[in-house]
Amino acid sequence: FIPHTLNEMVDSLNLKAEDTIVLGDLALFMQQSKLLIVFIMLAVILIPTFIFSSIHMKMLHIALHIGAVLINFVLCLSVVSRFDIDALEKKEHFKNLCKIGLTNKEVKKISYKEGNGFYFVLWIFAGIYILSIACTFLIRASIDLGLVGIVLLEFVVPYGMAEFVVYLKKRGQNYELHGN
């Protein structure tokens, strides 16, 4: 849904060339990462549901928290690796952008916006799902806000660190565009 929506936005809106490139690159990246995105969304939906449901079974509850951290860590490593693969695939793309007249600073900006766009979409959808599930359990079950905060941290910390790692890698990769 999201890649197609981004492509429609590019076609229907009167965007600057830079924004058109960013949205096109983001749509392509999301299409190439659809299975990974499905796994992330499954984790976002299922893990909090299992954790909130297991509040009265202490050992299972602890095991689910540990599993949540490990699963999110593996998914974050997968996202970082997917960005590494994307950087290799787009090396010529960025060189071509420089050849058509974009400065190194403009190409960096495009690269950063793509990464930020992916994480922006991830944060919005993950936040909506986790908070919806948490609200349901807050209303119908006897969970407290502390548990909701812990579950949110189990998602925010790994993905926040992954976003920072992707940013640092993109920062280092973009300096190599002109052979500097």
Side-chain angles (χ1 to χ4, degrees), residues 105-136:
K105 185 177 178 180
E106 292 169 327
V107 173
K108 283 182 195 179
K109 192 174 176 182
I110 289 170
S111 178
Y112 294 150
K113 280 185 174 182
E114 178 193 353
N116 290 340
F118 174 79
Y119 279 102
F120 179 75
V121 170
L122 177 74
W123 290 120
I124 293 224
F125 280 101
I128 289 170
Y129 282 124
I130 291 173
L131 292 176
S132 297
I133 293 166
C135 286
T136 302

mmCIF file of all heavy atoms in Angstrom, residues 105-136:
data_model
loop_
_atom_site.group_PDB
_atom_site.id
_atom_site.type_symbol
_atom_site.label_atom_id
_atom_site.label_comp_id
_atom_site.label_asym_id
_atom_site.label_seq_id
_atom_site.Cartn_x
_atom_site.Cartn_y
_atom_site.Cartn_z
ATOM 1 N N LYS A 105 26.274 17.757 -1.294
ATOM 2 C CA LYS A 105 25.371 18.073 -0.182
ATOM 3 C C LYS A 105 23.928 17.710 -0.527
ATOM 4 O O LYS A 105 23.196 17.169 0.308
ATOM 5 C CB LYS A 105 25.483 19.563 0.140
ATOM 6 C CG LYS A 105 24.702 19.999 1.341
ATOM 7 C CD LYS A 105 24.924 21.477 1.625
ATOM 8 C CE LYS A 105 24.097 21.912 2.812
ATOM 9 N NZ LYS A 105 24.280 23.331 3.114
ATOM 10 N N GLU A 106 23.505 17.973 -1.749
ATOM 11 C CA GLU A 106 22.141 17.646 -2.171
ATOM 12 C C GLU A 106 21.932 16.135 -2.244
ATOM 13 O O GLU A 106 20.867 15.633 -1.884
ATOM 14 C CB GLU A 106 21.838 18.289 -3.528
ATOM 15 C CG GLU A 106 21.757 19.800 -3.480
ATOM 16 C CD GLU A 106 21.717 20.429 -4.861
ATOM 17 O OE1 GLU A 106 22.342 19.892 -5.799
ATOM 18 O OE2 GLU A 106 21.064 21.480 -4.990
ATOM 19 N N VAL A 107 22.940 15.413 -2.697
ATOM 20 C CA VAL A 107 22.837 13.952 -2.764
ATOM 21 C C VAL A 107 22.773 13.368 -1.357
ATOM 22 O O VAL A 107 21.997 12.440 -1.093
ATOM 23 C CB VAL A 107 24.011 13.354 -3.579
ATOM 24 C CG1 VAL A 107 23.999 11.842 -3.515
ATOM 25 C CG2 VAL A 107 23.947 13.832 -5.015
ATOM 26 N N LYS A 108 23.553 13.920 -0.430
ATOM 27 C CA LYS A 108 23.481 13.476 0.968
ATOM 28 C C LYS A 108 22.090 13.700 1.525
ATOM 29 O O LYS A 108 21.535 12.840 2.200
ATOM 30 C CB LYS A 108 24.483 14.252 1.827
ATOM 31 C CG LYS A 108 25.889 13.838 1.707
ATOM 32 C CD LYS A 108 26.714 14.669 2.661
ATOM 33 C CE LYS A 108 28.167 14.554 2.349
ATOM 34 N NZ LYS A 108 28.976 15.376 3.250
ATOM 35 N N LYS A 109 21.527 14.858 1.223
ATOM 36 C CA LYS A 109 20.195 15.200 1.712
ATOM 37 C C LYS A 109 19.158 14.203 1.201
ATOM 38 O O LYS A 109 18.280 13.758 1.948
ATOM 39 C CB LYS A 109 19.845 16.619 1.271
ATOM 40 C CG LYS A 109 18.643 17.207 1.918
ATOM 41 C CD LYS A 109 18.495 18.665 1.493
ATOM 42 C CE LYS A 109 17.240 19.261 2.050
ATOM 43 N NZ LYS A 109 17.052 20.645 1.605
ATOM 44 N N ILE A 110 19.269 13.816 -0.064
ATOM 45 C CA ILE A 110 18.352 12.828 -0.650
ATOM 46 C C ILE A 110 18.506 11.486 0.061
ATOM 47 O O ILE A 110 17.523 10.840 0.416
ATOM 48 C CB ILE A 110 18.602 12.695 -2.164
ATOM 49 C CG1 ILE A 110 18.108 13.955 -2.882
ATOM 50 C CG2 ILE A 110 17.925 11.448 -2.729
ATOM 51 C CD1 ILE A 110 18.516 14.039 -4.336
ATOM 52 N N SER A 111 19.736 11.074 0.282
ATOM 53 C CA SER A 111 20.000 9.797 0.942
ATOM 54 C C SER A 111 19.465 9.793 2.369
ATOM 55 O O SER A 111 18.838 8.826 2.811
ATOM 56 C CB SER A 111 21.502 9.522 0.933
ATOM 57 O OG SER A 111 21.790 8.330 1.605
ATOM 58 N N TYR A 112 19.693 10.875 3.100
ATOM 59 C CA TYR A 112 19.195 10.965 4.473
ATOM 60 C C TYR A 112 17.677 10.952 4.515
ATOM 61 O O TYR A 112 17.070 10.328 5.375
ATOM 62 C CB TYR A 112 19.701 12.233 5.165
ATOM 63 C CG TYR A 112 21.192 12.284 5.398
ATOM 64 C CD1 TYR A 112 21.858 13.496 5.408
ATOM 65 C CD2 TYR A 112 21.941 11.140 5.626
ATOM 66 C CE1 TYR A 112 23.213 13.576 5.631
ATOM 67 C CE2 TYR A 112 23.298 11.204 5.839
ATOM 68 C CZ TYR A 112 23.936 12.427 5.852
ATOM 69 O OH TYR A 112 25.279 12.500 6.066
ATOM 70 N N LYS A 113 17.059 11.680 3.587
ATOM 71 C CA LYS A 113 15.592 11.747 3.563
ATOM 72 C C LYS A 113 14.972 10.375 3.299
ATOM 73 O O LYS A 113 13.917 10.062 3.830
ATOM 74 C CB LYS A 113 15.117 12.748 2.505
ATOM 75 C CG LYS A 113 15.189 14.178 2.948
ATOM 76 C CD LYS A 113 14.580 15.078 1.895
ATOM 77 C CE LYS A 113 14.501 16.508 2.342
ATOM 78 N NZ LYS A 113 13.871 17.370 1.327
ATOM 79 N N GLU A 114 15.640 9.573 2.471
ATOM 80 C CA GLU A 114 15.125 8.220 2.222
ATOM 81 C C GLU A 114 15.127 7.402 3.505
ATOM 82 O O GLU A 114 14.138 6.756 3.854
ATOM 83 C CB GLU A 114 15.955 7.516 1.152
ATOM 84 C CG GLU A 114 15.506 6.102 0.897
ATOM 85 C CD GLU A 114 16.498 5.305 0.074
ATOM 86 O OE1 GLU A 114 17.486 5.862 -0.422
ATOM 87 O OE2 GLU A 114 16.260 4.084 -0.057
ATOM 88 N N GLY A 115 16.242 7.419 4.221
ATOM 89 C CA GLY A 115 16.331 6.685 5.484
ATOM 90 C C GLY A 115 15.347 7.199 6.512
ATOM 91 O O GLY A 115 14.650 6.427 7.177
ATOM 92 N N ASN A 116 15.263 8.514 6.634
ATOM 93 C CA ASN A 116 14.323 9.107 7.586
ATOM 94 C C ASN A 116 12.882 8.807 7.203
ATOM 95 O O ASN A 116 12.044 8.593 8.074
ATOM 96 C CB ASN A 116 14.546 10.618 7.672
ATOM 97 C CG ASN A 116 15.844 10.973 8.352
ATOM 98 O OD1 ASN A 116 16.423 10.171 9.078
ATOM 99 N ND2 ASN A 116 16.331 12.172 8.091
ATOM 100 N N GLY A 117 12.601 8.784 5.908
ATOM 101 C CA GLY A 117 11.242 8.476 5.452
ATOM 102 C C GLY A 117 10.825 7.069 5.829
ATOM 103 O O GLY A 117 9.696 6.836 6.279
ATOM 104 N N PHE A 118 11.746 6.114 5.652
ATOM 105 C CA PHE A 118 11.440 4.736 6.020
ATOM 106 C C PHE A 118 11.134 4.638 7.504
ATOM 107 O O PHE A 118 10.131 4.044 7.919
ATOM 108 C CB PHE A 118 12.599 3.798 5.660
ATOM 109 C CG PHE A 118 12.391 2.399 6.151
ATOM 110 C CD1 PHE A 118 11.565 1.530 5.458
ATOM 111 C CD2 PHE A 118 12.986 1.957 7.320
ATOM 112 C CE1 PHE A 118 11.344 0.234 5.916
ATOM 113 C CE2 PHE A 118 12.778 0.666 7.785
ATOM 114 C CZ PHE A 118 11.960 -0.194 7.073
ATOM 115 N N TYR A 119 11.999 5.228 8.325
ATOM 116 C CA TYR A 119 11.785 5.137 9.766
ATOM 117 C C TYR A 119 10.567 5.934 10.207
ATOM 118 O O TYR A 119 9.879 5.547 11.155
ATOM 119 C CB TYR A 119 13.045 5.556 10.534
ATOM 120 C CG TYR A 119 14.035 4.430 10.592
ATOM 121 C CD1 TYR A 119 15.151 4.399 9.763
ATOM 122 C CD2 TYR A 119 13.846 3.360 11.452
ATOM 123 C CE1 TYR A 119 16.042 3.353 9.803
ATOM 124 C CE2 TYR A 119 14.726 2.299 11.505
ATOM 125 C CZ TYR A 119 15.831 2.306 10.679
ATOM 126 O OH TYR A 119 16.702 1.262 10.721
ATOM 127 N N PHE A 120 10.247 7.038 9.530
ATOM 128 C CA PHE A 120 9.043 7.802 9.843
ATOM 129 C C PHE A 120 7.810 6.931 9.651
ATOM 130 O O PHE A 120 6.933 6.862 10.525
ATOM 131 C CB PHE A 120 8.976 9.055 8.958
ATOM 132 C CG PHE A 120 7.753 9.890 9.180
ATOM 133 C CD1 PHE A 120 7.630 10.685 10.306
ATOM 134 C CD2 PHE A 120 6.713 9.874 8.257
ATOM 135 C CE1 PHE A 120 6.499 11.456 10.511
ATOM 136 C CE2 PHE A 120 5.581 10.634 8.450
ATOM 137 C CZ PHE A 120 5.470 11.434 9.587
ATOM 138 N N VAL A 121 7.738 6.237 8.529
ATOM 139 C CA VAL A 121 6.601 5.340 8.261
ATOM 140 C C VAL A 121 6.577 4.207 9.293
ATOM 141 O O VAL A 121 5.517 3.863 9.833
ATOM 142 C CB VAL A 121 6.682 4.776 6.821
ATOM 143 C CG1 VAL A 121 5.657 3.671 6.598
ATOM 144 C CG2 VAL A 121 6.490 5.897 5.805
ATOM 145 N N LEU A 122 7.739 3.651 9.589
ATOM 146 C CA LEU A 122 7.822 2.572 10.582
ATOM 147 C C LEU A 122 7.334 3.051 11.949
ATOM 148 O O LEU A 122 6.530 2.372 12.599
ATOM 149 C CB LEU A 122 9.260 2.054 10.689
ATOM 150 C CG LEU A 122 9.499 0.977 11.733
ATOM 151 C CD1 LEU A 122 8.913 -0.345 11.249
ATOM 152 C CD2 LEU A 122 10.968 0.836 12.030
ATOM 153 N N TRP A 123 7.792 4.232 12.385
ATOM 154 C CA TRP A 123 7.396 4.743 13.699
ATOM 155 C C TRP A 123 5.893 5.001 13.755
ATOM 156 O O TRP A 123 5.247 4.707 14.765
ATOM 157 C CB TRP A 123 8.137 6.037 14.036
ATOM 158 C CG TRP A 123 9.589 5.874 14.321
ATOM 159 C CD1 TRP A 123 10.618 6.454 13.634
ATOM 160 C CD2 TRP A 123 10.219 5.087 15.339
ATOM 161 N NE1 TRP A 123 11.827 6.062 14.161
ATOM 162 C CE2 TRP A 123 11.610 5.234 15.214
ATOM 163 C CE3 TRP A 123 9.733 4.263 16.342
ATOM 164 C CZ2 TRP A 123 12.517 4.598 16.054
ATOM 165 C CZ3 TRP A 123 10.631 3.620 17.182
ATOM 166 C CH2 TRP A 123 11.997 3.798 17.029
ATOM 167 N N ILE A 124 5.346 5.538 12.684
ATOM 168 C CA ILE A 124 3.901 5.856 12.686
ATOM 169 C C ILE A 124 3.081 4.570 12.799
ATOM 170 O O ILE A 124 2.214 4.457 13.667
ATOM 171 C CB ILE A 124 3.528 6.633 11.406
ATOM 172 C CG1 ILE A 124 4.182 7.975 11.460
ATOM 173 C CG2 ILE A 124 2.020 6.693 11.238
ATOM 174 C CD1 ILE A 124 3.391 9.154 11.082
ATOM 175 N N PHE A 125 3.357 3.600 11.927
ATOM 176 C CA PHE A 125 2.557 2.379 11.948
ATOM 177 C C PHE A 125 2.792 1.566 13.219
ATOM 178 O O PHE A 125 1.833 1.061 13.812
ATOM 179 C CB PHE A 125 2.817 1.529 10.701
ATOM 180 C CG PHE A 125 2.074 2.026 9.499
ATOM 181 C CD1 PHE A 125 2.720 2.770 8.533
ATOM 182 C CD2 PHE A 125 0.728 1.769 9.343
ATOM 183 C CE1 PHE A 125 2.034 3.251 7.435
ATOM 184 C CE2 PHE A 125 0.023 2.239 8.254
ATOM 185 C CZ PHE A 125 0.679 2.991 7.289
ATOM 186 N N ALA A 126 4.039 1.434 13.646
ATOM 187 C CA ALA A 126 4.316 0.685 14.874
ATOM 188 C C ALA A 126 3.662 1.371 16.068
ATOM 189 O O ALA A 126 3.064 0.702 16.925
ATOM 190 C CB ALA A 126 5.823 0.558 15.084
ATOM 191 N N GLY A 127 3.751 2.683 16.128
ATOM 192 C CA GLY A 127 3.131 3.419 17.235
ATOM 193 C C GLY A 127 1.629 3.245 17.276
ATOM 194 O O GLY A 127 1.042 3.029 18.341
ATOM 195 N N ILE A 128 1.001 3.335 16.103
ATOM 196 C CA ILE A 128 -0.452 3.162 16.044
ATOM 197 C C ILE A 128 -0.847 1.767 16.518
ATOM 198 O O ILE A 128 -1.769 1.613 17.331
ATOM 199 C CB ILE A 128 -0.973 3.426 14.613
ATOM 200 C CG1 ILE A 128 -0.884 4.914 14.290
ATOM 201 C CG2 ILE A 128 -2.410 2.925 14.454
ATOM 202 C CD1 ILE A 128 -1.147 5.249 12.831
ATOM 203 N N TYR A 129 -0.151 0.750 16.021
ATOM 204 C CA TYR A 129 -0.499 -0.619 16.411
ATOM 205 C C TYR A 129 -0.263 -0.862 17.892
ATOM 206 O O TYR A 129 -1.133 -1.396 18.587
ATOM 207 C CB TYR A 129 0.302 -1.642 15.599
ATOM 208 C CG TYR A 129 -0.221 -1.868 14.206
ATOM 209 C CD1 TYR A 129 0.606 -1.694 13.098
ATOM 210 C CD2 TYR A 129 -1.523 -2.271 13.977
ATOM 211 C CE1 TYR A 129 0.135 -1.907 11.812
ATOM 212 C CE2 TYR A 129 -2.007 -2.483 12.703
ATOM 213 C CZ TYR A 129 -1.166 -2.304 11.617
ATOM 214 O OH TYR A 129 -1.639 -2.514 10.362
ATOM 215 N N ILE A 130 0.894 -0.490 18.394
ATOM 216 C CA ILE A 130 1.203 -0.764 19.802
ATOM 217 C C ILE A 130 0.257 -0.001 20.716
ATOM 218 O O ILE A 130 -0.270 -0.562 21.695
ATOM 219 C CB ILE A 130 2.672 -0.422 20.117
ATOM 220 C CG1 ILE A 130 3.606 -1.412 19.413
ATOM 221 C CG2 ILE A 130 2.929 -0.471 21.619
ATOM 222 C CD1 ILE A 130 5.078 -1.073 19.526
ATOM 223 N N LEU A 131 0.012 1.263 20.413
ATOM 224 C CA LEU A 131 -0.882 2.039 21.276
ATOM 225 C C LEU A 131 -2.327 1.557 21.192
ATOM 226 O O LEU A 131 -3.045 1.567 22.196
ATOM 227 C CB LEU A 131 -0.769 3.524 20.949
ATOM 228 C CG LEU A 131 0.577 4.154 21.320
ATOM 229 C CD1 LEU A 131 0.646 5.602 20.862
ATOM 230 C CD2 LEU A 131 0.845 4.041 22.818
ATOM 231 N N SER A 132 -2.754 1.100 20.027
ATOM 232 C CA SER A 132 -4.105 0.540 19.902
ATOM 233 C C SER A 132 -4.249 -0.724 20.727
ATOM 234 O O SER A 132 -5.250 -0.910 21.435
ATOM 235 C CB SER A 132 -4.429 0.227 18.439
ATOM 236 O OG SER A 132 -4.436 1.383 17.668
ATOM 237 N N ILE A 133 -3.262 -1.586 20.639
ATOM 238 C CA ILE A 133 -3.287 -2.826 21.419
ATOM 239 C C ILE A 133 -3.224 -2.508 22.910
ATOM 240 O O ILE A 133 -3.959 -3.080 23.718
ATOM 241 C CB ILE A 133 -2.135 -3.764 20.994
ATOM 242 C CG1 ILE A 133 -2.362 -4.246 19.559
ATOM 243 C CG2 ILE A 133 -1.992 -4.937 21.940
ATOM 244 C CD1 ILE A 133 -1.146 -4.883 18.917
ATOM 245 N N ALA A 134 -2.363 -1.564 23.280
ATOM 246 C CA ALA A 134 -2.228 -1.187 24.688
ATOM 247 C C ALA A 134 -3.530 -0.593 25.221
ATOM 248 O O ALA A 134 -3.949 -0.928 26.338
ATOM 249 C CB ALA A 134 -1.079 -0.202 24.859
ATOM 250 N N CYS A 135 -4.164 0.259 24.445
ATOM 251 C CA CYS A 135 -5.440 0.854 24.888
ATOM 252 C C CYS A 135 -6.505 -0.213 25.096
ATOM 253 O O CYS A 135 -7.265 -0.167 26.068
ATOM 254 C CB CYS A 135 -5.920 1.893 23.875
ATOM 255 S SG CYS A 135 -4.974 3.421 23.935
ATOM 256 N N THR A 136 -6.546 -1.175 24.190
ATOM 257 C CA THR A 136 -7.510 -2.266 24.328
ATOM 258 C C THR A 136 -7.277 -3.029 25.626
ATOM 259 O O THR A 136 -8.218 -3.318 26.368
ATOM 260 C CB THR A 136 -7.410 -3.225 23.126
ATOM 261 O OG1 THR A 136 -7.643 -2.491 21.931
ATOM 262 C CG2 THR A 136 -8.398 -4.357 23.240
#
